[in-house]
Amino acid sequence: MLVRLLNHLFDADAAARSELAGYRGRTLRLVFPALAATLTIGDDGRWQAAAADVVSEATLTLPLAFFMTFAFDRVAAQKQLQITGDAELAAGIGRVLGQVRWDAAEELSQLVGDVAAQRLVWLAGKVGGIPAAIGSRMLVHLVEYWRDEAPLLANKADVERYCAGVDTLRDDLARLEQRLALLTQKTA
């Protein structure tokens, strides 16, 4: 199933397919939250299921956290990727996978027609953006609440005031130690 899906995506993106062809003959294990497969890149640049006895050169794991973070921040999502084995191979194929473009409107147009497909894609973009916007606003409001209303987080002014107090106390203690040292010298 994964092989068919990947080949379908790469068939629609010639640039990604040609870049993938640079890794022909290499074997990689892709691990998703509900699906995992060991795949080989064929001479034609197409994905193929690897034989059962083939050991992958690298493993690229995309945990659920990757997909949740990807909706908000692609750079942060990349930090969620887990690579084992040949890091150069996994990173290269991961980069190629990240560059694959899927034209959802083209796929839908084969089922419902061009105009309906364009409208469905537009609507999905609008509706799909709502959770991301709500999530980012909710995060900002939670931070403000924890900082101002229920002081779980310190605000910047309080932290600066605290650090200044610690610095003053440190300097006062250093002066007191010097005075004590002078007094002990005079009494001795």
Side-chain angles (χ1 to χ4, degrees), residues 145-174:
Y145 174 76
W146 286 333
R147 186 188 64 217
D148 300 334
E149 303 295 328
L152 183 64
L153 301 175
N155 64 33
K156 187 175 180 181
D158 289 342
V159 171
E160 289 173 352
R161 190 172 31 254
Y162 174 78
C163 289
V166 169
D167 291 343
T168 302
L169 183 61
R170 181 196 60 221
D171 296 342
D172 291 346
L173 181 62

PDB file of all heavy atoms in Angstrom, residues 145-174:
ATOM      1  N   TYR A 145      -2.235  33.628  30.238  1.00  0.00           N
ATOM      2  CA  TYR A 145      -2.957  33.244  31.454  1.00  0.00           C
ATOM      3  C   TYR A 145      -1.989  32.745  32.513  1.00  0.00           C
ATOM      4  O   TYR A 145      -2.040  33.155  33.669  1.00  0.00           O
ATOM      5  CB  TYR A 145      -4.006  32.176  31.131  1.00  0.00           C
ATOM      6  CG  TYR A 145      -4.685  31.617  32.357  1.00  0.00           C
ATOM      7  CD1 TYR A 145      -5.657  32.347  33.032  1.00  0.00           C
ATOM      8  CD2 TYR A 145      -4.343  30.367  32.842  1.00  0.00           C
ATOM      9  CE1 TYR A 145      -6.273  31.847  34.170  1.00  0.00           C
ATOM     10  CE2 TYR A 145      -4.952  29.856  33.975  1.00  0.00           C
ATOM     11  CZ  TYR A 145      -5.914  30.598  34.638  1.00  0.00           C
ATOM     12  OH  TYR A 145      -6.512  30.100  35.762  1.00  0.00           O
ATOM     13  N   TRP A 146      -1.084  31.837  32.131  1.00  0.00           N
ATOM     14  CA  TRP A 146      -0.135  31.286  33.089  1.00  0.00           C
ATOM     15  C   TRP A 146       0.833  32.342  33.601  1.00  0.00           C
ATOM     16  O   TRP A 146       1.346  32.255  34.705  1.00  0.00           O
ATOM     17  CB  TRP A 146       0.636  30.125  32.468  1.00  0.00           C
ATOM     18  CG  TRP A 146      -0.172  28.873  32.341  1.00  0.00           C
ATOM     19  CD1 TRP A 146      -1.227  28.488  33.100  1.00  0.00           C
ATOM     20  CD2 TRP A 146       0.028  27.848  31.383  1.00  0.00           C
ATOM     21  NE1 TRP A 146      -1.702  27.285  32.679  1.00  0.00           N
ATOM     22  CE2 TRP A 146      -0.955  26.854  31.624  1.00  0.00           C
ATOM     23  CE3 TRP A 146       0.927  27.650  30.348  1.00  0.00           C
ATOM     24  CZ2 TRP A 146      -1.043  25.708  30.868  1.00  0.00           C
ATOM     25  CZ3 TRP A 146       0.842  26.499  29.596  1.00  0.00           C
ATOM     26  CH2 TRP A 146      -0.144  25.533  29.847  1.00  0.00           C
ATOM     27  N   ARG A 147       1.104  33.352  32.780  1.00  0.00           N
ATOM     28  CA  ARG A 147       2.031  34.394  33.190  1.00  0.00           C
ATOM     29  C   ARG A 147       1.342  35.452  34.056  1.00  0.00           C
ATOM     30  O   ARG A 147       1.900  35.903  35.050  1.00  0.00           O
ATOM     31  CB  ARG A 147       2.636  35.058  31.947  1.00  0.00           C
ATOM     32  CG  ARG A 147       3.731  36.068  32.274  1.00  0.00           C
ATOM     33  CD  ARG A 147       4.155  36.840  31.065  1.00  0.00           C
ATOM     34  NE  ARG A 147       3.028  37.631  30.597  1.00  0.00           N
ATOM     35  CZ  ARG A 147       2.752  37.848  29.310  1.00  0.00           C
ATOM     36  NH1 ARG A 147       3.514  37.346  28.377  1.00  0.00           N
ATOM     37  NH2 ARG A 147       1.725  38.579  28.969  1.00  0.00           N
ATOM     38  N   ASP A 148       0.113  35.852  33.708  1.00  0.00           N
ATOM     39  CA  ASP A 148      -0.539  36.977  34.366  1.00  0.00           C
ATOM     40  C   ASP A 148      -1.573  36.571  35.410  1.00  0.00           C
ATOM     41  O   ASP A 148      -1.583  37.094  36.526  1.00  0.00           O
ATOM     42  CB  ASP A 148      -1.216  37.879  33.325  1.00  0.00           C
ATOM     43  CG  ASP A 148      -0.207  38.441  32.325  1.00  0.00           C
ATOM     44  OD1 ASP A 148       0.974  38.562  32.686  1.00  0.00           O
ATOM     45  OD2 ASP A 148      -0.612  38.739  31.182  1.00  0.00           O
ATOM     46  N   GLU A 149      -2.471  35.674  35.072  1.00  0.00           N
ATOM     47  CA  GLU A 149      -3.588  35.334  35.953  1.00  0.00           C
ATOM     48  C   GLU A 149      -3.222  34.282  36.996  1.00  0.00           C
ATOM     49  O   GLU A 149      -3.483  34.453  38.173  1.00  0.00           O
ATOM     50  CB  GLU A 149      -4.784  34.840  35.124  1.00  0.00           C
ATOM     51  CG  GLU A 149      -5.268  35.836  34.087  1.00  0.00           C
ATOM     52  CD  GLU A 149      -5.826  37.105  34.704  1.00  0.00           C
ATOM     53  OE1 GLU A 149      -6.393  37.018  35.801  1.00  0.00           O
ATOM     54  OE2 GLU A 149      -5.677  38.170  34.091  1.00  0.00           O
ATOM     55  N   ALA A 150      -2.704  33.176  36.559  1.00  0.00           N
ATOM     56  CA  ALA A 150      -2.290  32.098  37.457  1.00  0.00           C
ATOM     57  C   ALA A 150      -0.786  31.939  37.288  1.00  0.00           C
ATOM     58  O   ALA A 150      -0.327  31.185  36.456  1.00  0.00           O
ATOM     59  CB  ALA A 150      -3.000  30.800  37.084  1.00  0.00           C
ATOM     60  N   PRO A 151      -0.018  32.701  38.059  1.00  0.00           N
ATOM     61  CA  PRO A 151       1.420  32.828  37.778  1.00  0.00           C
ATOM     62  C   PRO A 151       2.200  31.518  37.824  1.00  0.00           C
ATOM     63  O   PRO A 151       2.924  31.237  38.749  1.00  0.00           O
ATOM     64  CB  PRO A 151       1.919  33.813  38.829  1.00  0.00           C
ATOM     65  CG  PRO A 151       0.803  34.094  39.740  1.00  0.00           C
ATOM     66  CD  PRO A 151      -0.424  33.442  39.218  1.00  0.00           C
ATOM     67  N   LEU A 152       2.013  30.740  36.801  1.00  0.00           N
ATOM     68  CA  LEU A 152       2.790  29.526  36.626  1.00  0.00           C
ATOM     69  C   LEU A 152       4.088  29.864  35.886  1.00  0.00           C
ATOM     70  O   LEU A 152       5.115  29.248  36.105  1.00  0.00           O
ATOM     71  CB  LEU A 152       1.970  28.502  35.820  1.00  0.00           C
ATOM     72  CG  LEU A 152       2.577  27.145  35.601  1.00  0.00           C
ATOM     73  CD1 LEU A 152       2.753  26.432  36.931  1.00  0.00           C
ATOM     74  CD2 LEU A 152       1.687  26.302  34.705  1.00  0.00           C
ATOM     75  N   LEU A 153       4.019  30.876  35.024  1.00  0.00           N
ATOM     76  CA  LEU A 153       5.176  31.366  34.283  1.00  0.00           C
ATOM     77  C   LEU A 153       5.487  32.782  34.753  1.00  0.00           C
ATOM     78  O   LEU A 153       4.577  33.561  35.025  1.00  0.00           O
ATOM     79  CB  LEU A 153       4.885  31.397  32.778  1.00  0.00           C
ATOM     80  CG  LEU A 153       4.515  30.079  32.126  1.00  0.00           C
ATOM     81  CD1 LEU A 153       4.146  30.302  30.668  1.00  0.00           C
ATOM     82  CD2 LEU A 153       5.674  29.109  32.209  1.00  0.00           C
ATOM     83  N   ALA A 154       6.751  33.114  34.852  1.00  0.00           N
ATOM     84  CA  ALA A 154       7.141  34.456  35.280  1.00  0.00           C
ATOM     85  C   ALA A 154       7.147  35.399  34.085  1.00  0.00           C
ATOM     86  O   ALA A 154       7.509  35.004  32.974  1.00  0.00           O
ATOM     87  CB  ALA A 154       8.528  34.409  35.906  1.00  0.00           C
ATOM     88  N   ASN A 155       6.765  36.663  34.347  1.00  0.00           N
ATOM     89  CA  ASN A 155       6.868  37.617  33.246  1.00  0.00           C
ATOM     90  C   ASN A 155       8.256  38.251  33.267  1.00  0.00           C
ATOM     91  O   ASN A 155       9.004  38.143  34.244  1.00  0.00           O
ATOM     92  CB  ASN A 155       5.731  38.657  33.285  1.00  0.00           C
ATOM     93  CG  ASN A 155       5.766  39.539  34.506  1.00  0.00           C
ATOM     94  OD1 ASN A 155       6.835  39.841  35.016  1.00  0.00           O
ATOM     95  ND2 ASN A 155       4.599  39.936  34.985  1.00  0.00           N
ATOM     96  N   LYS A 156       8.600  38.924  32.213  1.00  0.00           N
ATOM     97  CA  LYS A 156       9.959  39.416  32.016  1.00  0.00           C
ATOM     98  C   LYS A 156      10.377  40.417  33.097  1.00  0.00           C
ATOM     99  O   LYS A 156      11.490  40.359  33.616  1.00  0.00           O
ATOM    100  CB  LYS A 156      10.066  40.053  30.632  1.00  0.00           C
ATOM    101  CG  LYS A 156      11.454  40.446  30.248  1.00  0.00           C
ATOM    102  CD  LYS A 156      11.522  40.960  28.830  1.00  0.00           C
ATOM    103  CE  LYS A 156      12.929  41.340  28.467  1.00  0.00           C
ATOM    104  NZ  LYS A 156      13.017  41.850  27.110  1.00  0.00           N
ATOM    105  N   ALA A 157       9.488  41.323  33.470  1.00  0.00           N
ATOM    106  CA  ALA A 157       9.824  42.335  34.471  1.00  0.00           C
ATOM    107  C   ALA A 157      10.142  41.686  35.822  1.00  0.00           C
ATOM    108  O   ALA A 157      11.094  42.083  36.506  1.00  0.00           O
ATOM    109  CB  ALA A 157       8.683  43.337  34.608  1.00  0.00           C
ATOM    110  N   ASP A 158       9.343  40.693  36.217  1.00  0.00           N
ATOM    111  CA  ASP A 158       9.590  40.008  37.484  1.00  0.00           C
ATOM    112  C   ASP A 158      10.928  39.271  37.460  1.00  0.00           C
ATOM    113  O   ASP A 158      11.665  39.266  38.455  1.00  0.00           O
ATOM    114  CB  ASP A 158       8.460  39.025  37.793  1.00  0.00           C
ATOM    115  CG  ASP A 158       7.162  39.718  38.158  1.00  0.00           C
ATOM    116  OD1 ASP A 158       7.206  40.917  38.509  1.00  0.00           O
ATOM    117  OD2 ASP A 158       6.108  39.062  38.072  1.00  0.00           O
ATOM    118  N   VAL A 159      11.243  38.635  36.349  1.00  0.00           N
ATOM    119  CA  VAL A 159      12.515  37.909  36.236  1.00  0.00           C
ATOM    120  C   VAL A 159      13.683  38.887  36.308  1.00  0.00           C
ATOM    121  O   VAL A 159      14.680  38.639  37.005  1.00  0.00           O
ATOM    122  CB  VAL A 159      12.564  37.083  34.926  1.00  0.00           C
ATOM    123  CG1 VAL A 159      13.951  36.521  34.692  1.00  0.00           C
ATOM    124  CG2 VAL A 159      11.536  35.967  34.973  1.00  0.00           C
ATOM    125  N   GLU A 160      13.582  40.021  35.626  1.00  0.00           N
ATOM    126  CA  GLU A 160      14.657  41.021  35.663  1.00  0.00           C
ATOM    127  C   GLU A 160      14.830  41.582  37.072  1.00  0.00           C
ATOM    128  O   GLU A 160      15.951  41.766  37.547  1.00  0.00           O
ATOM    129  CB  GLU A 160      14.371  42.137  34.657  1.00  0.00           C
ATOM    130  CG  GLU A 160      14.532  41.694  33.221  1.00  0.00           C
ATOM    131  CD  GLU A 160      14.092  42.749  32.216  1.00  0.00           C
ATOM    132  OE1 GLU A 160      13.516  43.788  32.622  1.00  0.00           O
ATOM    133  OE2 GLU A 160      14.324  42.516  31.021  1.00  0.00           O
ATOM    134  N   ARG A 161      13.718  41.847  37.753  1.00  0.00           N
ATOM    135  CA  ARG A 161      13.771  42.358  39.120  1.00  0.00           C
ATOM    136  C   ARG A 161      14.414  41.317  40.048  1.00  0.00           C
ATOM    137  O   ARG A 161      15.262  41.648  40.889  1.00  0.00           O
ATOM    138  CB  ARG A 161      12.361  42.720  39.580  1.00  0.00           C
ATOM    139  CG  ARG A 161      12.306  43.480  40.864  1.00  0.00           C
ATOM    140  CD  ARG A 161      10.938  44.031  41.253  1.00  0.00           C
ATOM    141  NE  ARG A 161       9.796  43.240  40.812  1.00  0.00           N
ATOM    142  CZ  ARG A 161       8.981  43.592  39.799  1.00  0.00           C
ATOM    143  NH1 ARG A 161       9.192  44.699  39.126  1.00  0.00           N
ATOM    144  NH2 ARG A 161       7.964  42.815  39.475  1.00  0.00           N
ATOM    145  N   TYR A 162      14.059  40.069  39.895  1.00  0.00           N
ATOM    146  CA  TYR A 162      14.633  38.994  40.704  1.00  0.00           C
ATOM    147  C   TYR A 162      16.143  38.881  40.455  1.00  0.00           C
ATOM    148  O   TYR A 162      16.931  38.793  41.389  1.00  0.00           O
ATOM    149  CB  TYR A 162      13.935  37.663  40.399  1.00  0.00           C
ATOM    150  CG  TYR A 162      14.565  36.482  41.081  1.00  0.00           C
ATOM    151  CD1 TYR A 162      14.332  36.216  42.424  1.00  0.00           C
ATOM    152  CD2 TYR A 162      15.414  35.623  40.379  1.00  0.00           C
ATOM    153  CE1 TYR A 162      14.916  35.137  43.054  1.00  0.00           C
ATOM    154  CE2 TYR A 162      16.006  34.542  41.010  1.00  0.00           C
ATOM    155  CZ  TYR A 162      15.753  34.297  42.339  1.00  0.00           C
ATOM    156  OH  TYR A 162      16.345  33.237  42.956  1.00  0.00           O
ATOM    157  N   CYS A 163      16.530  38.894  39.182  1.00  0.00           N
ATOM    158  CA  CYS A 163      17.965  38.770  38.849  1.00  0.00           C
ATOM    159  C   CYS A 163      18.749  39.956  39.388  1.00  0.00           C
ATOM    160  O   CYS A 163      19.871  39.792  39.886  1.00  0.00           O
ATOM    161  CB  CYS A 163      18.136  38.653  37.340  1.00  0.00           C
ATOM    162  SG  CYS A 163      17.577  37.069  36.690  1.00  0.00           S
ATOM    163  N   ALA A 164      18.176  41.167  39.333  1.00  0.00           N
ATOM    164  CA  ALA A 164      18.847  42.348  39.877  1.00  0.00           C
ATOM    165  C   ALA A 164      19.002  42.203  41.387  1.00  0.00           C
ATOM    166  O   ALA A 164      20.049  42.557  41.960  1.00  0.00           O
ATOM    167  CB  ALA A 164      18.065  43.613  39.527  1.00  0.00           C
ATOM    168  N   GLY A 165      17.974  41.683  42.070  1.00  0.00           N
ATOM    169  CA  GLY A 165      18.062  41.469  43.511  1.00  0.00           C
ATOM    170  C   GLY A 165      19.137  40.457  43.867  1.00  0.00           C
ATOM    171  O   GLY A 165      19.881  40.643  44.843  1.00  0.00           O
ATOM    172  N   VAL A 166      19.239  39.386  43.089  1.00  0.00           N
ATOM    173  CA  VAL A 166      20.277  38.374  43.325  1.00  0.00           C
ATOM    174  C   VAL A 166      21.662  38.984  43.115  1.00  0.00           C
ATOM    175  O   VAL A 166      22.589  38.752  43.910  1.00  0.00           O
ATOM    176  CB  VAL A 166      20.062  37.138  42.417  1.00  0.00           C
ATOM    177  CG1 VAL A 166      21.269  36.212  42.462  1.00  0.00           C
ATOM    178  CG2 VAL A 166      18.806  36.392  42.826  1.00  0.00           C
ATOM    179  N   ASP A 167      21.816  39.799  42.072  1.00  0.00           N
ATOM    180  CA  ASP A 167      23.109  40.443  41.823  1.00  0.00           C
ATOM    181  C   ASP A 167      23.482  41.383  42.965  1.00  0.00           C
ATOM    182  O   ASP A 167      24.644  41.410  43.408  1.00  0.00           O
ATOM    183  CB  ASP A 167      23.061  41.211  40.500  1.00  0.00           C
ATOM    184  CG  ASP A 167      22.975  40.290  39.291  1.00  0.00           C
ATOM    185  OD1 ASP A 167      23.267  39.086  39.435  1.00  0.00           O
ATOM    186  OD2 ASP A 167      22.599  40.778  38.191  1.00  0.00           O
ATOM    187  N   THR A 168      22.518  42.160  43.459  1.00  0.00           N
ATOM    188  CA  THR A 168      22.769  43.081  44.577  1.00  0.00           C
ATOM    189  C   THR A 168      23.169  42.298  45.813  1.00  0.00           C
ATOM    190  O   THR A 168      24.122  42.662  46.515  1.00  0.00           O
ATOM    191  CB  THR A 168      21.519  43.928  44.853  1.00  0.00           C
ATOM    192  OG1 THR A 168      21.171  44.632  43.662  1.00  0.00           O
ATOM    193  CG2 THR A 168      21.746  44.919  45.978  1.00  0.00           C
ATOM    194  N   LEU A 169      22.446  41.225  46.110  1.00  0.00           N
ATOM    195  CA  LEU A 169      22.762  40.397  47.271  1.00  0.00           C
ATOM    196  C   LEU A 169      24.165  39.798  47.157  1.00  0.00           C
ATOM    197  O   LEU A 169      24.922  39.779  48.134  1.00  0.00           O
ATOM    198  CB  LEU A 169      21.719  39.282  47.408  1.00  0.00           C
ATOM    199  CG  LEU A 169      21.855  38.371  48.617  1.00  0.00           C
ATOM    200  CD1 LEU A 169      21.736  39.178  49.912  1.00  0.00           C
ATOM    201  CD2 LEU A 169      20.794  37.288  48.569  1.00  0.00           C
ATOM    202  N   ARG A 170      24.527  39.334  45.969  1.00  0.00           N
ATOM    203  CA  ARG A 170      25.868  38.762  45.755  1.00  0.00           C
ATOM    204  C   ARG A 170      26.936  39.819  46.019  1.00  0.00           C
ATOM    205  O   ARG A 170      27.929  39.565  46.704  1.00  0.00           O
ATOM    206  CB  ARG A 170      25.980  38.245  44.314  1.00  0.00           C
ATOM    207  CG  ARG A 170      27.337  37.612  44.012  1.00  0.00           C
ATOM    208  CD  ARG A 170      27.593  37.456  42.536  1.00  0.00           C
ATOM    209  NE  ARG A 170      27.551  38.775  41.908  1.00  0.00           N
ATOM    210  CZ  ARG A 170      26.975  39.028  40.734  1.00  0.00           C
ATOM    211  NH1 ARG A 170      26.390  38.076  40.065  1.00  0.00           N
ATOM    212  NH2 ARG A 170      27.005  40.248  40.235  1.00  0.00           N
ATOM    213  N   ASP A 171      26.738  41.049  45.481  1.00  0.00           N
ATOM    214  CA  ASP A 171      27.724  42.112  45.680  1.00  0.00           C
ATOM    215  C   ASP A 171      27.812  42.515  47.152  1.00  0.00           C
ATOM    216  O   ASP A 171      28.912  42.744  47.682  1.00  0.00           O
ATOM    217  CB  ASP A 171      27.358  43.328  44.818  1.00  0.00           C
ATOM    218  CG  ASP A 171      27.432  43.014  43.326  1.00  0.00           C
ATOM    219  OD1 ASP A 171      28.079  42.013  42.952  1.00  0.00           O
ATOM    220  OD2 ASP A 171      26.834  43.770  42.528  1.00  0.00           O
ATOM    221  N   ASP A 172      26.655  42.617  47.839  1.00  0.00           N
ATOM    222  CA  ASP A 172      26.647  42.962  49.265  1.00  0.00           C
ATOM    223  C   ASP A 172      27.375  41.892  50.081  1.00  0.00           C
ATOM    224  O   ASP A 172      28.126  42.208  51.011  1.00  0.00           O
ATOM    225  CB  ASP A 172      25.211  43.119  49.778  1.00  0.00           C
ATOM    226  CG  ASP A 172      24.516  44.347  49.216  1.00  0.00           C
ATOM    227  OD1 ASP A 172      25.213  45.215  48.637  1.00  0.00           O
ATOM    228  OD2 ASP A 172      23.269  44.431  49.348  1.00  0.00           O
ATOM    229  N   LEU A 173      27.147  40.626  49.754  1.00  0.00           N
ATOM    230  CA  LEU A 173      27.817  39.539  50.452  1.00  0.00           C
ATOM    231  C   LEU A 173      29.332  39.601  50.233  1.00  0.00           C
ATOM    232  O   LEU A 173      30.114  39.385  51.169  1.00  0.00           O
ATOM    233  CB  LEU A 173      27.265  38.184  49.985  1.00  0.00           C
ATOM    234  CG  LEU A 173      27.855  36.955  50.656  1.00  0.00           C
ATOM    235  CD1 LEU A 173      27.569  36.974  52.160  1.00  0.00           C
ATOM    236  CD2 LEU A 173      27.308  35.685  50.028  1.00  0.00           C
ATOM    237  N   ALA A 174      29.756  39.919  49.033  1.00  0.00           N
ATOM    238  CA  ALA A 174      31.193  40.034  48.741  1.00  0.00           C
ATOM    239  C   ALA A 174      31.810  41.166  49.563  1.00  0.00           C
ATOM    240  O   ALA A 174      32.909  41.015  50.130  1.00  0.00           O
ATOM    241  CB  ALA A 174      31.416  40.255  47.258  1.00  0.00           C
TER     242      ALA A 174
END
